[in-house]
Amino acid sequence: MNDNLMTDAPVLRLTVNGEGQQVAAASVRALLEALGYDGEFIAVAVNQSVVSRGRWGEDLLRDGDDIEIVSPRQGG
């Protein structure tokens, strides 16, 4: 499966960082691309389980999933 082809992906109702979203993305990687994340320094959890970067293209999302995307911030 090529997760870059989002036209084949169903539109899912997801909660991303506490906000309801409708996104055509079948995998974590496709979701990140659709939301404009560059993916360099982020961590992702699906339904409170951290998804390793190596599985971002493999793990399929389901309607109703709760996604948390975390990126470090600098500051004091």
Side-chain angles (χ1 to χ4, degrees):
M1 177 175 105
N2 184 344
D3 58 15
N4 290 325
L5 296 175
M6 294 193 325
T7 56
D8 293 338
V11 174
L12 301 176
R13 289 169 296 189
L14 306 170
T15 301
V16 180
N17 293 345
E19 183 178 314
Q21 304 243 358
Q22 290 189 7
V23 182
S27 69
V28 170
R29 179 170 289 125
L31 174 66
L32 293 172
E33 290 172 4
L35 296 178
Y37 285 90
D38 63 16
E40 244 181 88
F41 298 105
I42 59 175
V44 179
V46 176
N47 300 322
Q48 301 180 342
S49 295
V50 174
V51 179
S52 68
R53 185 177 298 270
R55 297 196 53 90
W56 285 1
E58 298 171 13
D59 284 4
L60 299 181
L61 299 174
R62 293 178 295 212
D63 203 43
D65 279 346
D66 184 17
I67 316 294
E68 290 294 326
I69 303 170
V70 180
S71 60
R73 298 189 183 260
Q74 292 183 325

